[in-house]
Amino acid sequence: MTIRKSRAFPAGKKRAGRRGSLRRNRAAYLVFLGLMGLLYYWIRSAELGIMFFTLLILPVLSYIFTWFSRRGVRITQKAEGGTLQKGGRAGISVTLENTGRLPVPYLSFCFPEEAEGLAYPEAPGACSLPVRSRRELSFWAVPRYRGDYAAGISKAYVEDFLRIFRLSCPAPQQVDLLVYPVIHPLPGGMQLTALTDHTTPQPGAVEDYSSVADIVPYDPSQEFRKVHWKLTARLDELMVRRFDTEDVARTVLLLDMSANGEGEAAAAAADAMTEAAVSILSAWMKEEQAAALVYGVERPMVIQRSGREGFAGFHRLLAGLPNTTPYTAAQLLRFYLEGAHGGTAVAVLTGRVDDELLAAVSQALAAGVQVCIFYMQQADAHAGADELLRDLEQRGIPVRRFRADGVPEAAGGGTGL
């Protein structure tokens, strides 16, 4: 399951460097036109008159020519693969076509600002397109944060011969680019075997009665209620249905992203939070083990997966989550407990520790659910967080810490292990 179009950043402003050059060109043109007008006023020669009136009508002709030429511009773009891990770079190729009967004098492009999370270090500049021509461009998009982006050229403009007007072309379709969070190796104290009381919860199995895997001859180990009576009557031999099995996650990661703030600070905090989450899930889900993820965007959800294929689904999901989610760790923990799910060990990954969370943890312990706190250090964490964490540790609840950049602290580095 993925959440599409959950951008790492809201839409930002576009680069406006071309606007400044257009203003300078217009100012220079007006100055030149004014000087020519003064010369014609004082000298009154036929040659100066022709030059002056030509300068007056030339912008109109240039604008009309540009208006017609832009209608033939076609722009398509695609990304190589469409997915990458943060720290890499994505290649984007652009095809420019002029299908009209007029040349395109200057074609320029706009890209989202770097503050939106993508940088274009080798972005193409202005180019021209002769009649019935085709041109290929390529450049790199370098992500600063994980997320689901609309990458590539956001707008294209045709400038006239004088470069004093700029008309927009049909908007090119941007490409989807999904940037995955980085996976960090976990210290031994954060592995599954040390989650709670140094006991490894083993995944159970339940049968999915909506999916019949096979029909086999009956033997005493099979349940009699699974007999396929129609096939038994036809073959004159007892046949039983065998159903698919589904691993039940006994370990659950509860992801609280409600304390991430806004803007670029939220993107950095969400990056660290998702990297910590995928690192934990990656360590848990080796050797086909099952795990569940609890999070809330529009509403709280519990998603269960098993094995490396299931982890790949979690990895993709966490890449597209918004930077801030509305549900706190306490609300998610209570939601999970109310659902009577099968997990017996819950790890709470959060950057907010308060009295409400302590009350929810007490409720979980009373219900027989073991709890571990994975604390993500926040830049603006309140002073009482460390005191509350020490209180949890004194009550026998394991507390593991991540640095603000998403890297787990080793044992002995303030983890309390």
Side-chain angles (χ1 to χ4, degrees):
M1 177 179 178
T2 58
I3 298 179
R4 303 300 297 162
K5 306 303 179 186
S6 298
R7 305 301 180 193
F9 277 85
K13 298 179 181 179
K14 310 299 178 184
R15 291 181 178 175
R18 291 286 173 186
R19 295 181 182 177
S21 63
L22 287 177
R23 293 191 186 99
R24 289 192 295 270
N25 292 342
R26 290 170 186 169
Y29 176 81
L30 290 175
V31 169
F32 186 71
L33 181 63
L35 292 175
M36 188 60 64
L38 288 175
L39 287 174
Y40 176 65
Y41 177 79
W42 290 104
I43 300 177
R44 293 284 183 173
S45 68
E47 292 80 3
L48 287 175
I50 293 172
M51 293 178 61
F52 176 70
F53 287 106
T54 300
L55 285 175
L56 282 177
I57 64 172
L58 191 59
V60 177
L61 296 176
S62 182
Y63 181 88
I64 294 173
F65 183 92
T66 305
W67 190 87
F68 280 104
S69 67
R70 75 181 177 92
R71 300 175 65 181
V73 176
R74 299 291 182 269
I75 303 175
T76 56
Q77 52 187 343
K78 61 181 180 179
E80 298 176 2
T83 60
L84 73 157
Q85 187 162 288
K86 194 189 79 170
R89 57 180 187 174
I92 299 178
S93 58
V94 180
T95 301
L96 308 175
E97 293 182 275
N98 183 3
T99 61
R101 299 181 178 180
L102 295 173
V104 176
Y106 300 99
L107 186 62
S108 59
F109 312 103
C110 281
F111 298 86
E113 284 186 343
E114 292 186 9
E116 288 193 40
L118 286 179
Y120 300 90
E122 300 176 1
C127 63
S128 60
L129 282 177
V131 178
R132 304 293 182 181
S133 65
R134 178 189 178 100
R135 186 168 183 176
E136 303 287 342
L137 302 176
S138 61
F139 53 94
W140 297 101
V142 181
R144 299 173 59 199
Y145 305 101
R146 65 100 189 119
D148 190 1
Y149 296 94
I153 297 171
S154 57
K155 289 185 179 180
Y157 297 94
V158 172
E159 298 178 13
D160 66 317
F161 285 104
L162 301 176
R163 306 199 78 169
I164 59 177
F165 299 112
R166 186 175 69 171
L167 303 179
S168 62
C169 295
Q173 181 67 40
Q174 290 186 275
V175 296
D176 287 329
L177 188 62
L178 186 63
V179 181
Y180 286 87
V182 176
I183 302 173
H184 300 288
L186 296 185
M190 290 187 180
Q191 299 294 341
L192 180 64
T193 55
L195 177 59
T196 50
D197 296 336
H198 301 280
T199 302
T200 305
Q202 298 295 329
V206 296
E207 290 182 321
D208 180 7
Y209 291 100
S210 65
S211 177
V212 178
D214 198 4
I215 299 178
V216 297
Y218 173 80
D219 65 71
S221 66
Q222 302 286 341
E223 295 182 36
F224 199 71
R225 63 189 178 91
K226 299 177 183 176
V227 171
H228 193 298
W229 292 110
K230 289 184 179 180
L231 190 58
T232 296
R234 187 183 307 165
L235 300 178
D236 196 21
E237 181 184 2
L238 280 175
M239 305 294 291
V240 294
R241 300 178 180 88
R242 188 167 62 189
F243 299 94
D244 286 333
T245 59
E246 179 184 0
D247 287 338
V248 174
R250 299 293 180 83
T251 52
V252 179
L253 178 63
L254 191 152
L255 179 59
D256 168 25
M257 299 177 67
S258 63
N260 288 342
E262 297 179 354
E264 190 162 352
D271 243 29
M273 187 75 73
T274 53
E275 287 178 8
V278 297
S279 300
I280 294 167
L281 291 170
S282 178
W284 285 2
M285 299 177 73
K286 292 179 179 178
E287 301 177 0
E288 299 303 315
Q289 291 174 326
L293 176 66
V294 183
Y295 71 101
V297 180
E298 295 179 356
R299 59 187 177 86
M301 297 186 67
V302 179
I303 299 180
Q304 179 176 297
R305 297 285 187 269
S306 61
R308 300 312 293 173
E309 183 178 350
F311 169 74
F314 280 143
H315 202 182
R316 186 178 183 89
L317 169 64
L318 291 169
L321 279 181
N323 291 334
T324 304
T325 54
Y327 294 93
T328 66
Q331 292 171 327
L332 292 174
L333 184 54
R334 289 196 177 98
F335 165 78
Y336 180 78
L337 295 174
E338 291 169 0
H341 298 281
T344 58
V346 176
V348 180
L349 177 57
T350 182
R352 184 199 309 269
V353 179
D354 52 21
D355 292 333
E356 185 182 5
L357 177 58
L358 266 63
V361 169
S362 298
Q363 181 181 346
L365 295 176
V369 176
Q370 302 177 51
V371 180
C372 174
I373 302 296
F374 287 163
Y375 178 66
M376 176 65 64
Q377 181 67 45
Q378 298 284 335
D380 57 348
H382 65 88
D386 286 336
E387 182 178 347
L388 293 175
L389 289 172
R390 284 193 295 270
D391 180 51
L392 288 171
E393 289 177 313
Q394 290 173 0
R395 295 166 58 182
I397 299 172
V399 176
R400 317 289 188 249
R401 289 176 171 83
F402 285 82
R403 299 202 309 257
D405 57 0
V407 178
E409 292 183 354
T415 64
L417 297 177

